[in-house]
Amino acid sequence: MKNSFLFISFLMLVSCNNSSKTFEDLFTDKFTGINTVSYTDVTYAGVKDTVLVTTYSGRVAFRYKNNSEEKVLAQLNDEIYVVKYTPVEKHVALSTMELGVVVIDATNAKELYKLPLQNTWSLSMGYSEDFNYLFANDQKGNRFLWSVKDNYESKTLPENLPKGFIVGMDNNIIKIKGTGKIIYWDIINNSLVKEIPVFEGSFEDMDEKGNILTINRDTFTLFNTKKDSVEYSHQHPGWLRPKEDFNEKDFHEFKEAGIVEENGYYDIPGFHLPLTCARFGKKNIYTSGADRSIRIWDKDTGKLIDALTGHKATVNQVDVCGDKTQLVSVDLKGGIRFWDIQ
């Protein structure tokens, strides 16, 4: 499943390690020594202008719009992959490599709970829409559910719960990304509510109408759940690179290939780098990628509207605030940008 930042970091790790190492060796090594400044995740900690960010080196910090300084909330002796926040309890849930899921108080950084996983880690985690539950999926396919109001007591999931990753929860309805479908399962009555067929790929986001965004390497897809069909699929049209990245020889070579200048960047056609994230806004869709850009697409038509540029490394995570008037993006060099959106 998601998160693409792990894949990108894995490629970086492969290039930096001795080729005699086995695949298993590479995957059990920590990434901390490779990318200590990389932001691994970002989530809003308020309506807008304030977010929480995490790093491979175990840091969780507040970042604010128009402020270049971090306000460190906590430093764990472990890597952090995912951060989620509940404004109801003001809890910060952190998915780590070795400590399981750590929950801390956002007001005083006090460690409240350690929720163990089964000798693995989670790259997929979230609070239910009412913030009464925290769910997670580990790398071995195990699913976990904890009751926030019961001091994060572990809840036993039904034995016949369909296979797949939990991607959301609304009251007692769990949403599961199975093979080629999204499954809605009532855990109180232990029964199927409905199934929605979807295009294959990693689950990225779902809007208020139930439409679904997925990513499959360099392509994102919008699935219209009312029509039970794909609305459209698109790649970033080219690789946007700043002018300073080019020497004269590069420029002439790419000019022959049809290079296009756009707002101080050159769009190199035919280069479709991996996408890392896709999010719904009010009227638009936002996709980020290894090409260091965020592209804006019209939600209704799928037409490319614009590109947001300025990051110096892969844009690995994007989040949209609750009223969908602001977007935040982070990259693998510790860069962060806030964007006002419509």
Side-chain angles (χ1 to χ4, degrees), residues 9-263:
S9 301
F10 172 70
L11 293 180
M12 296 173 66
L13 186 63
V14 170
S15 66
C16 294
N17 279 270
N18 189 295
S19 60
S20 64
K21 281 195 172 188
T22 65
F23 182 84
E24 290 77 12
D25 287 335
L26 290 171
F27 240 111
T28 54
D29 283 347
K30 285 190 174 183
F31 296 118
T32 304
I34 305 298
N35 251 343
T36 57
V37 300
S38 294
Y39 282 145
T40 55
D41 202 9
V42 61
T43 190
Y44 274 91
V47 177
K48 59 193 304 184
D49 296 339
T50 303
V51 297
L52 285 157
V53 293
T54 53
T55 67
Y56 287 122
S57 57
R59 189 171 70 256
V60 54
F62 287 102
R63 290 295 304 262
Y64 308 97
K65 185 181 179 181
N66 300 325
N67 189 333
S68 61
E69 300 297 322
E70 287 185 346
K71 180 183 177 182
V72 177
L73 177 64
Q75 176 69 54
L76 304 186
N77 186 28
D78 202 353
E79 297 182 355
I80 304 174
Y81 302 130
V82 184
V83 57
K84 297 297 178 183
Y85 176 75
T86 164
V88 177
E89 306 290 344
K90 293 183 171 53
H91 291 172
V92 181
L94 304 164
S95 173
T96 71
M97 186 177 199
E98 296 177 347
L99 299 175
V101 175
V102 178
V103 180
I104 62 177
D105 189 321
T107 64
N108 58 20
K110 180 181 177 181
E111 183 179 298
L112 302 174
Y113 307 98
K114 280 184 180 177
L115 312 175
L117 303 182
Q118 298 175 12
N119 298 318
T120 182
W121 63 91
S122 171
L123 296 178
S124 173
M125 180 179 70
Y127 282 101
S128 60
E129 293 184 21
D130 57 12
F131 299 105
N132 287 333
Y133 294 94
L134 177 69
F135 62 84
N137 309 277
D138 73 12
Q139 294 303 98
K140 294 182 179 180
N142 301 305
R143 285 85 60 89
F144 303 86
L145 185 67
W146 299 278
S147 173
V148 175
K149 294 187 180 298
D150 295 323
N151 299 317
Y152 288 83
E153 177 184 289
S154 179
K155 296 297 181 182
T156 302
L157 292 167
E159 291 185 2
N160 61 335
L161 187 70
K163 293 182 179 180
F165 287 93
I166 300 174
V167 295
M169 187 173 180
D170 184 5
N171 295 319
N172 60 311
I173 306 299
I174 286 182
K175 302 169 187 176
I176 299 169
K177 172 64 168 63
T179 303
K181 57 188 174 183
I182 297 288
I183 303 163
Y184 290 68
W185 192 269
D186 188 328
I187 60 170
I188 301 299
N189 298 312
N190 196 21
S191 61
L192 176 68
V193 177
K194 62 180 177 178
E195 291 183 351
I196 300 174
V198 295
F199 188 78
E200 278 305 306
S202 65
F203 176 91
E204 294 294 314
D205 201 6
M206 179 182 293
D207 69 6
E208 67 281 354
K209 296 180 181 178
N211 298 314
I212 295 166
L213 284 174
T214 63
I215 283 179
N216 191 0
R217 297 191 179 183
D218 61 2
T219 302
F220 83 93
T221 296
L222 173 64
F223 191 89
N224 187 315
T225 54
K226 286 187 176 180
K227 298 178 182 178
D228 283 346
S229 63
V230 170
E231 194 71 23
Y232 47 76
S233 294
H234 292 303
Q235 301 167 308
H236 286 193
W239 182 8
L240 284 178
R241 291 177 62 186
K243 287 184 176 181
E244 57 265 27
D245 280 6
F246 289 84
N247 57 40
E248 187 173 346
K249 180 181 178 182
D250 288 338
F251 175 76
H252 287 296
E253 288 180 357
F254 285 117
K255 188 174 182 180
E256 294 180 1
I259 191 172
V260 177
E261 183 178 351
E262 181 180 340
N263 298 325

